[in-house]
């Protein structure tokens, strides 16, 4: 089966971009874009209600920092 698990509280895409930028040591370059110009699939939200007793092994921030280190080859 397919399982969608949550890794904590919901965050917006701009907030995720800001956190990823911080992990990379770079500012997030965000600009306003009318959602009406996006395909419907991209303009919606995906929020998963976690009903499993799954505990994440690390925080979102730790995961983003580890991903940034991998990406930067550190």
């Amino acid at each position: 089966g397919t399982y969608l698990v949550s890794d904590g509280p919901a965050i917006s895409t701009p907030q995720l971009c800001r956190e990823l930028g911080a992990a990379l040591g770079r500012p997030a370059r965000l600009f306003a874009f009318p959602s009406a110009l996006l395909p419907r699939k991209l303009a919606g939200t995906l929020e998963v209600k976690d009903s499993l007793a799954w505990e994440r092994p690390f925080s979102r921030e730790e995961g983003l920092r580890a991903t940034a280190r991998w990406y930067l080859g550190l």
Side-chain angles (χ1 to χ4, degrees):
T2 301
Y3 297 94
L4 299 173
V5 294
S6 169
D7 64 352
I11 64 167
S12 66
T13 301
Q15 182 60 32
L16 179 60
C17 291
R18 286 184 197 97
E19 290 181 16
L20 185 54
L24 289 166
R26 312 233 12 189
R29 295 185 180 152
L30 302 174
F31 56 91
F33 191 85
S35 59
L37 298 177
L38 292 172
R40 189 172 190 172
K41 285 183 177 182
L42 295 177
T45 61
L46 172 62
E47 189 173 335
V48 178
K49 181 178 180 183
D50 191 8
S51 59
L52 301 174
W54 179 78
E55 290 188 32
R56 58 190 176 169
F58 41 82
S59 70
R60 179 179 64 244
E61 294 82 9
E62 291 169 325
L64 288 173
R65 283 193 303 268
T67 300
R69 284 192 305 272
W70 166 83
Y71 178 77
L72 295 171
L74 301 176

